[in-house]
Amino acid sequence: MPLLIHTMAELSSLIFPALEVANCKTVTEIGSEGGAMTAQLLKFVERRGGWMTSVDPSPSATSEALLRSTPFGVLCRDISLRALSTNPCSDVYIVDGDHNYFTVLQELLWIERLQKQERKPFFAILHDVGWPWAYRDLYYNPELIPEESRKPFSWNRGLTLDNPGTVAGGFRGCGIWACALEEGGPENGVLKAAEDFLAARTGSVRMAVVPGVFGLGVMYASDAAWSDTLQAQLAPYDRNPLLAKLERNRIENYLRVIELQDAQSQVQQQEEPIHAG
């Protein structure tokens, strides 16, 4: 078990019953990470007699091997905003790619367009709608974000709770991802993108927010035949204050571990012998 659970696979006990309620057979996964969720989705679509597309410009070796060895899934090695326009429409989209406002909003707009064309009810499940990316952009590839939509960012600074800025240390990407320097404000973060998408649709799309494992957002058409059933299924978890408290405690503990690791690293560096040239 990793020190910090962080993948969508940890939320599978909520995700797959939702897919069952919506009678999903086809799935598009945006962002495969280490392949844990990909493996579960492949089992799901095989059981349902469906198929899946996994979209990832840099898939892990595990994800690539899984998708190469099955007739039920294909790998699209591309960024989501290109891949969505060239791949078949799915019953549901599992969105866990680039966690920034511009990308997520554009993904939602593409999903809406594709599902409307195929007369499917809107259905998308988003990861990272909680801290730290709810109201702060993350960039894996900042150069792909239009300059007018890109926040000032840092590859080296880190994040901590209750601080809208950045810190030396804290939760950070260590060169893998960059974070916006400031939290909040317009057009910043995953949850903000979802909220703005919902606000423009005046009740035609619902969203449940599960405050655990960095936050799960389940977005679905309010007029879908199964929407009331799904709403009732998710209601005990939606913005549950106990889950929110447990998630905060989990993050506080992890931030403390990072602090201790940083302190230990600094001591080790100071104790290293200095060798004359």
Side-chain angles (χ1 to χ4, degrees):
M1 174 67 69
L3 179 62
L4 181 72
I5 59 171
H6 62 279
T7 74
M8 286 191 87
E10 307 296 346
L11 296 157
S12 59
S13 62
L14 296 179
I15 292 171
F16 287 102
L19 303 193
E20 296 276 1
V21 163
N23 196 31
C24 294
K25 293 184 179 180
T26 57
V27 179
T28 293
E29 173 191 49
I30 297 174
S32 61
E33 201 177 32
M37 190 63 182
T38 307
Q40 294 190 38
L41 288 169
L42 281 170
K43 291 179 181 178
F44 174 81
V45 297
E46 180 177 2
R47 189 175 73 251
R48 301 281 296 178
W51 51 264
M52 71 168 287
T53 301
S54 182
V55 177
D56 198 316
S58 303
S60 68
T62 299
S63 298
E64 197 166 2
L66 282 167
L67 292 158
R68 192 170 51 239
S69 62
T70 177
F72 298 99
V74 295
L75 171 64
C76 180
R77 193 189 295 270
D78 204 349
I79 62 171
S80 62
L81 299 186
R82 284 196 296 257
L84 285 169
S85 64
T86 59
N87 282 278
C89 179
S90 294
D91 296 329
V92 63
Y93 288 78
I94 309 295
V95 182
D96 192 18
D98 213 357
H99 311 319
N100 58 74
Y101 181 96
F102 175 82
T103 303
V104 173
L105 182 59
Q106 295 304 312
E107 287 169 340
L108 292 174
L109 291 170
W110 264 113
I111 292 166
E112 179 183 51
R113 183 184 308 175
L114 293 167
Q115 291 183 327
K116 188 175 292 185
Q117 287 174 351
E118 296 296 322
R119 298 185 177 181
K120 296 177 183 288
F122 182 85
F123 193 20
I125 299 178
L126 279 61
H127 196 208
D128 289 281
V129 299
W131 188 90
W133 311 123
Y135 299 112
R136 187 196 296 266
D137 277 0
L138 171 151
Y139 306 117
Y140 287 112
N141 299 287
E143 70 278 4
L144 298 180
I145 309 300
E147 186 175 355
E148 65 273 13
S149 300
R150 191 174 61 223
K151 306 296 184 187
F153 62 89
S154 171
W155 290 101
N156 302 314
R157 302 282 291 174
L159 311 172
T160 191
L161 290 164
D162 303 321
N163 184 339
T166 60
V167 297
F171 184 67
R172 57 198 187 272
C174 298
I176 297 173
W177 47 258
C179 62
L181 293 178
E182 293 291 334
E183 181 183 49
E187 301 184 4
N188 198 6
V190 176
L191 185 57
K192 182 60 175 173
E195 289 173 342
D196 286 356
F197 179 86
L198 290 171
R201 277 142 191 84
T202 60
S204 65
V205 178
R206 296 172 178 168
M207 179 169 67
V209 175
V210 181
V213 195
F214 295 114
L216 188 73
V218 183
M219 304 177 69
Y220 55 99
S222 59
D223 62 354
W226 37 264
S227 64
D228 289 344
T229 303
L230 182 57
Q231 184 180 39
Q233 181 173 290
L234 294 171
Y237 309 96
D238 187 8
R239 299 171 177 83
N240 183 292
L242 176 58
L243 288 179
K245 183 178 290 188
L246 292 172
E247 175 70 355
R248 182 180 174 91
N249 178 254
R250 184 180 80 98
I251 292 169
E252 286 174 341
N253 287 334
Y254 187 65
L255 289 170
R256 178 58 177 156
V257 169
I258 294 175
E259 184 181 343
L260 293 171
Q261 289 175 337
D262 287 346
Q264 183 182 37
S265 177
Q266 187 175 17
V267 168
Q268 289 174 342
Q269 290 175 8
Q270 292 172 347
E271 290 178 347
E272 287 180 357
I274 299 174
H275 299 282

